[in-house]
Coordinates of all heavy atoms in Angstrom, one line a residue:
Chain A
A65 N -7.5 9.4 -7.5 CA -7.7 9.1 -9.0 C -8.3 10.2 -9.7 O -9.2 10.8 -9.2 CB -8.5 7.8 -9.1
Y66 N -7.8 10.5 -10.9 CA -8.5 11.4 -11.9 C -8.8 10.6 -13.1 O -7.9 10.2 -13.8 CB -7.6 12.6 -12.2 CG -8.0 13.4 -13.3 CD1 -9.3 13.8 -13.5 CD2 -7.1 13.9 -14.3 CE1 -9.8 14.6 -14.6 CE2 -7.5 14.7 -15.4 CZ -8.8 15.0 -15.5 OH -9.2 15.8 -16.6
V67 N -10.1 10.3 -13.3 CA -10.5 9.6 -14.5 C -11.3 10.5 -15.4 O -12.2 11.3 -14.9 CB -11.4 8.4 -14.0 CG1 -11.9 7.5 -15.2 CG2 -10.7 7.5 -13.0
Y68 N -11.1 10.4 -16.7 CA -11.9 11.3 -17.6 C -12.2 10.5 -18.9 O -11.5 9.5 -19.2 CB -11.1 12.6 -17.9 CG -9.9 12.4 -18.7 CD1 -9.9 12.5 -20.1 CD2 -8.7 12.1 -18.1 CE1 -8.8 12.3 -20.8 CE2 -7.5 11.9 -18.8 CZ -7.6 12.0 -20.2 OH -6.5 11.8 -21.0
F69 N -13.2 11.0 -19.6 CA -13.7 10.5 -20.8 C -13.1 11.2 -22.0 O -13.1 12.4 -22.0 CB -15.2 10.6 -20.8 CG -15.9 9.9 -21.9 CD1 -15.8 8.5 -22.1 CD2 -16.7 10.6 -22.8 CE1 -16.5 7.9 -23.2 CE2 -17.4 10.0 -23.8 CZ -17.2 8.7 -24.0
V70 N -12.7 10.5 -23.0 CA -12.0 11.2 -24.1 C -12.4 10.5 -25.5 O -12.7 9.3 -25.5 CB -10.5 11.3 -23.9 CG1 -9.9 9.9 -24.2 CG2 -9.9 12.3 -24.9
Y71 N -12.4 11.3 -26.5 CA -12.6 10.8 -27.9 C -13.9 10.1 -28.0 O -14.1 9.2 -28.9 CB -11.5 9.9 -28.3 CG -10.2 10.7 -28.7 CD1 -9.1 10.5 -27.9 CD2 -10.1 11.5 -29.7 CE1 -7.9 11.2 -28.1 CE2 -9.0 12.2 -30.0 CZ -7.9 12.1 -29.2 OH -6.7 12.8 -29.5
G72 N -14.9 10.3 -27.2 CA -16.2 9.7 -27.3 C -16.2 8.2 -27.0 O -17.3 7.7 -27.0
N73 N -15.1 7.6 -26.8 CA -15.1 6.1 -26.6 C -14.3 5.6 -25.4 O -14.6 4.5 -25.0 CB -14.4 5.5 -27.8 CG -15.1 5.6 -29.1 OD1 -16.3 5.5 -29.1 ND2 -14.4 6.0 -30.2
H74 N -13.4 6.4 -24.9 CA -12.4 5.9 -24.0 C -12.3 6.7 -22.7 O -12.6 7.9 -22.7 CB -11.0 5.8 -24.7 CG -11.1 5.1 -25.9 ND1 -11.1 3.7 -26.0 CD2 -11.0 5.5 -27.2 CE1 -11.1 3.3 -27.3 NE2 -11.1 4.4 -28.0
Y75 N -11.8 6.0 -21.7 CA -11.5 6.7 -20.4 C -10.0 6.6 -20.2 O -9.3 5.6 -20.7 CB -12.2 6.0 -19.3 CG -13.7 6.2 -19.3 CD1 -14.5 5.2 -20.0 CD2 -14.3 7.3 -18.8 CE1 -15.8 5.3 -20.1 CE2 -15.7 7.4 -18.9 CZ -16.4 6.4 -19.5 OH -17.8 6.6 -19.6
C76 N -9.4 7.6 -19.5 CA -8.0 7.5 -19.1 C -7.9 7.7 -17.6 O -8.8 8.3 -17.0 CB -7.2 8.6 -19.8 SG -7.0 8.4 -21.5
F77 N -6.9 7.1 -17.0 CA -6.7 7.0 -15.6 C -5.4 7.7 -15.2 O -4.4 7.4 -15.7 CB -6.7 5.5 -15.1 CG -6.2 5.3 -13.7 CD1 -7.0 5.7 -12.6 CD2 -5.0 4.7 -13.5 CE1 -6.5 5.5 -11.3 CE2 -4.6 4.5 -12.2 CZ -5.3 4.9 -11.1
N78 N -5.5 8.6 -14.2 CA -4.4 9.4 -13.7 C -4.3 9.3 -12.2 O -5.3 9.0 -11.5 CB -4.5 10.9 -14.0 CG -4.6 11.2 -15.4 OD1 -3.7 11.8 -16.0 ND2 -5.7 10.9 -16.1
V79 N -3.1 9.5 -11.7 CA -2.8 9.6 -10.3 C -2.5 11.0 -10.0 O -1.5 11.5 -10.5 CB -1.7 8.6 -9.8 CG1 -1.5 8.7 -8.3 CG2 -2.0 7.2 -10.2
V80 N -3.3 11.7 -9.1 CA -3.0 13.0 -8.7 C -1.7 13.1 -7.9 O -1.5 12.2 -7.0 CB -4.2 13.6 -7.9 CG1 -3.9 15.1 -7.5 CG2 -5.5 13.6 -8.8
T81 N -0.9 14.1 -8.1 CA 0.4 14.1 -7.4 C 0.7 15.3 -6.6 O 0.9 15.2 -5.4 CB 1.5 14.0 -8.5 OG1 1.3 15.0 -9.4 CG2 1.5 12.6 -9.1
A82 N 0.6 16.5 -7.1 CA 1.0 17.7 -6.4 C 0.1 18.0 -5.2 O -1.0 17.4 -5.1 CB 0.9 18.9 -7.4
P83 N 0.5 18.8 -4.3 CA -0.4 19.2 -3.2 C -1.7 19.6 -3.6 O -1.9 20.2 -4.7 CB 0.4 20.3 -2.5 CG 1.8 20.0 -2.8 CD 1.8 19.5 -4.2
E84 N -2.7 19.5 -2.8 CA -4.1 19.8 -3.1 C -4.2 21.3 -3.7 O -3.6 22.2 -3.1 CB -5.0 19.8 -1.8 CG -6.4 19.9 -2.1 CD -7.2 19.6 -0.8 OE1 -6.7 19.7 0.3 OE2 -8.4 19.3 -0.9
G85 N -4.9 21.4 -4.8 CA -5.1 22.8 -5.3 C -4.2 23.1 -6.5 O -4.4 24.0 -7.2
V86 N -3.1 22.4 -6.6 CA -2.1 22.7 -7.6 C -2.5 22.2 -9.0 O -2.3 22.9 -10.0 CB -0.7 22.1 -7.2 CG1 0.3 22.4 -8.3 CG2 -0.2 22.7 -5.9
G87 N -2.9 21.0 -9.1 CA -3.4 20.5 -10.4 C -2.3 19.8 -11.2 O -2.1 20.2 -12.3
E88 N -1.7 18.8 -10.7 CA -0.7 18.0 -11.4 C -1.1 16.5 -11.3 O -1.6 16.1 -10.2 CB 0.7 18.2 -10.9 CG 1.1 19.7 -11.1 CD 2.6 20.0 -10.9 OE1 3.3 19.1 -10.4 OE2 3.0 21.0 -11.4
A89 N -0.7 15.7 -12.3 CA -1.1 14.3 -12.2 C -0.2 13.5 -13.1 O 0.5 14.0 -14.0 CB -2.6 14.1 -12.7
V90 N -0.2 12.2 -13.0 CA 0.5 11.3 -13.8 C -0.5 10.3 -14.5 O -1.2 9.6 -13.9 CB 1.5 10.4 -12.9 CG1 2.2 9.4 -13.8 CG2 2.6 11.3 -12.3
L91 N -0.4 10.4 -15.8 CA -1.2 9.5 -16.7 C -0.6 8.1 -16.7 O 0.6 8.0 -17.0 CB -1.3 10.0 -18.1 CG -2.0 9.1 -19.1 CD1 -3.5 9.0 -18.9 CD2 -1.8 9.7 -20.5
I92 N -1.4 7.1 -16.4 CA -0.9 5.7 -16.4 C -1.1 5.2 -17.9 O -2.3 5.1 -18.3 CB -1.6 4.8 -15.4 CG1 -1.5 5.4 -14.0 CG2 -1.0 3.4 -15.5 CD1 -0.1 5.6 -13.5
R93 N 0.0 5.0 -18.6 CA -0.2 4.6 -20.0 C -0.1 3.2 -20.4 O -0.6 2.7 -21.4 CB 0.9 5.4 -20.8 CG 0.7 6.8 -21.1 CD 1.6 7.4 -22.2 NE 1.3 6.6 -23.4 CZ 0.4 6.9 -24.3 NH1 -0.3 8.0 -24.2 NH2 0.3 6.1 -25.3
A94 N 0.5 2.3 -19.5 CA 0.6 0.9 -19.8 C 0.9 0.1 -18.5 O 1.5 0.6 -17.6 CB 1.6 0.6 -20.8

Side-chain angles (χ1 to χ4, degrees):
Chain A
Y66 168 44
V67 182
Y68 68 92
F69 185 62
V70 72
Y71 287 113
N73 293 318
H74 305 286
Y75 295 90
C76 291
F77 168 68
N78 298 251
V79 181
V80 178
T81 53
E84 188 172 23
V86 175
E88 300 192 342
V90 174
L91 171 69
I92 307 303
R93 283 197 56 91

